Amino acid sequence: MRPEKIGIIGSGLIGRAWAMLFASAGYRVVLYDILPEQVSTALEEIKKELHALEAKSALRGTYSVAQQLSFISGTVELSELVSNAIYLQECIPERIEWKRKLYTDLAAIVGAETIIGSSTSTYMPSLFSEQMTSHRENVLVAHPLNPPYYIPLVEIVPSPWTIPEFVTRTRDLMLEIGQKPVTLTREIEGFITNRIQYAILNEVWRLVADGVVSVADVDRVMTEGLGLRYALLGPLETAHLNADGVSDYFQRFGGEVYAVSQTYGPTPKMVAGETLSKIAAECEEMVSREQLTKRREQRDRFLYELSALKKKFH
Ligand code: NAD
């Protein structure tokens, strides 16, 4: 086991996944939760999950399950968790007032060299660190995608006051545990992933609302079309390859991209109503609620196989 300690704050779905990722790289991991029973539940869940991963030959890292388990422990004291940790990964629920309270408490106990990365999917780091009386410069966002064990992307987002060296250190740490970080130069609503994801959702919603395409078919555009490419190439490299380089692509097709984009409708409000009922009914036809767990397992298995395939194709 490596001597450096990583603290996980919040032992739910994402906290457990981070604990497993850090342990897979040999870090000493300590889990904390505001509910003491949640810490023991999390340790039990991790044990089950690591054994299940081993059985599927999907365990990450070079350490055995027994070794990885021995790297992870729990505490019910926040001060004990924070003490001597090089890095804290915060994974408490997406409630801004809870996050602000926690970061206010952390300000009083965190060391000057301890980085605090938040898993938040939606809040810019300044929103929950601005009120801290000290060490707010230690805070940044390290946003994973679910499930983090299979999807390696982590978005690292600094606030205006985050120490740049801490951004670099977090990026190095993510690489070391086998994740694939991207670094934003400044905070922005939705970071990058959700800005792109929401742009897609907006257009999908509009197309279904306007009756242009069915729910199953619009999803198929991704699963049988764009998504296959995007597992290897991003949109810009795709353009680069689809012409004689990216400059040629935009010279030839930029006008068309602009013309089609001018026809997009306004941003839809995704609230209860006719469109949502239609989407819900058709989604249920594709996967009933009872089948969701099974389909999630299939997704995880697929992502694992895909990550193995991706390693062959850089
Ligand atoms: P969760 O509800 O599964 O777990 C949250 C845990 O935090 C619970 O065990 C709860 O008891 C504990 N908790 C609550 N207040 C606390 C406090 N003050 N101190 C310590 N522990 C506290 O939530 P989750 O799905 O793991 O999400 C955690 C964070 O990760 C959120 O910010 C969420 O936006 C982000 N995230 C979630 C996903 C996802 O798909 N679930 C994906 C990416 C990022």
Side-chain angles (χ1 to χ4, degrees):
M1 179 169 69
R2 309 171 54 121
E4 300 100 328
K5 171 180 161 186
I6 306 286
I8 309 287
I9 308 177
S11 306
L13 181 73
I14 296 297
R16 292 199 304 268
W18 278 115
M20 287 159 50
L21 287 172
F22 285 112
S24 74
Y27 279 100
R28 180 155 71 93
V29 182
V30 185
L31 281 168
Y32 162 81
D33 201 283
I34 203 163
L35 303 175
E37 67 276 16
Q38 185 65 17
V39 176
S40 29
T41 309
L43 291 172
E44 274 307 307
E45 284 293 320
I46 288 173
K47 191 173 171 182
K48 274 192 234 155
E49 277 187 57
L50 288 181
H51 281 295
L53 287 164
E54 187 186 39
K56 295 189 278 194
S57 307
L59 189 68
R60 283 174 62 158
T62 52
Y63 300 97
S64 67
V65 169
Q67 282 173 313
Q68 294 193 28
L69 284 173
S70 74
F71 302 161
I72 308 175
S73 59
T75 179
V76 290
E77 291 295 334
L78 185 59
S79 54
E80 191 187 314
L81 180 94
V82 166
S83 164
N84 295 320
I86 59 157
Y87 181 83
L88 300 171
Q89 183 74 42
E90 172 267 304
C91 313
I92 73 165
E94 205 70 340
R95 297 275 298 269
I96 191 62
E97 66 282 13
W98 293 10
K99 299 239 190 225
R100 286 173 73 92
K101 160 85 173 69
L102 173 68
Y103 283 82
T104 302
D105 293 348
L106 286 171
I109 53 174
V110 83
E113 286 298 308
T114 306
I115 301 170
I116 316 173
S118 173
S119 301
T120 179
S121 311
T122 47
Y123 303 129
M124 296 191 290
S126 62
L127 289 180
F128 48 85
S129 65
E130 64 187 343
Q131 81 293 349
M132 290 168 73
T133 49
S134 58
H135 304 311
R136 65 179 193 167
E137 60 281 2
N138 297 28
V139 176
L140 45 77
V141 164
H143 170 230
L145 265 64
N146 194 42
Y149 204 82
Y150 299 105
I151 301 188
L153 186 73
V154 179
E155 296 183 287
I156 302 176
V157 188
S159 75
W161 41 81
T162 306
I163 297 172
E165 167 67 19
F166 285 5
V167 175
T168 315
R169 271 195 227 167
T170 305
R171 188 180 172 96
D172 291 345
L173 183 62
M174 293 301 148
L175 287 170
E176 214 186 329
I177 64 171
Q179 298 304 85
K180 304 280 182 192
V182 294
T183 309
L184 278 62
T185 57
R186 62 179 172 86
E187 60 180 20
I188 182 169
E189 291 84 352
F191 315 143
I192 304 298
T193 305
N194 278 336
R195 291 183 82 85
I196 294 175
Q197 188 163 239
Y198 295 167
I200 294 172
L201 276 179
N202 281 328
E203 186 51 11
V204 162
W205 185 282
R206 283 187 294 249
L207 289 167
V208 171
D210 293 348
V212 177
V213 69
S214 69
V215 169
D217 276 2
V218 83
D219 265 15
R220 208 167 282 132
V221 168
M222 284 288 166
T223 59
E224 303 297 335
L226 292 176
L228 295 179
R229 254 192 218 146
Y230 285 165
L232 180 68
L233 311 169
L236 294 175
E237 198 183 347
T238 296
H240 198 44
L241 266 63
N242 277 356
D244 190 18
V246 72
S247 301
D248 180 46
Y249 180 92
F250 284 113
Q251 226 157 19
R252 284 161 62 179
F253 306 115
E256 182 64 11
V257 174
Y258 184 78
V260 172
S261 304
Q262 293 299 100
T263 68
Y264 288 9
T267 307
K269 287 210 168 89
M270 297 169 185
V271 292
E274 203 184 317
T275 303
L276 185 54
S277 303
K278 182 176 158 67
I279 291 175
E282 290 191 43
C283 277
E284 291 255 342
E285 251 173 61
M286 290 195 290
V287 186
S288 71
R289 297 242 187 104
E290 298 73 52
Q291 291 168 327
L292 284 177
T293 305
K294 208 164 157 224
R295 188 69 169 148
R296 283 188 196 111
E297 283 166 10
Q298 197 183 26
R299 171 200 65 188
D300 291 355
R301 183 74 217 170
F302 177 80
L303 290 171
Y304 171 70
E305 300 276 352
L306 192 59
S307 69
L309 182 66
K310 269 177 73 68
K311 286 196 183 104
K312 293 190 201 160
F313 286 82
H314 280 288

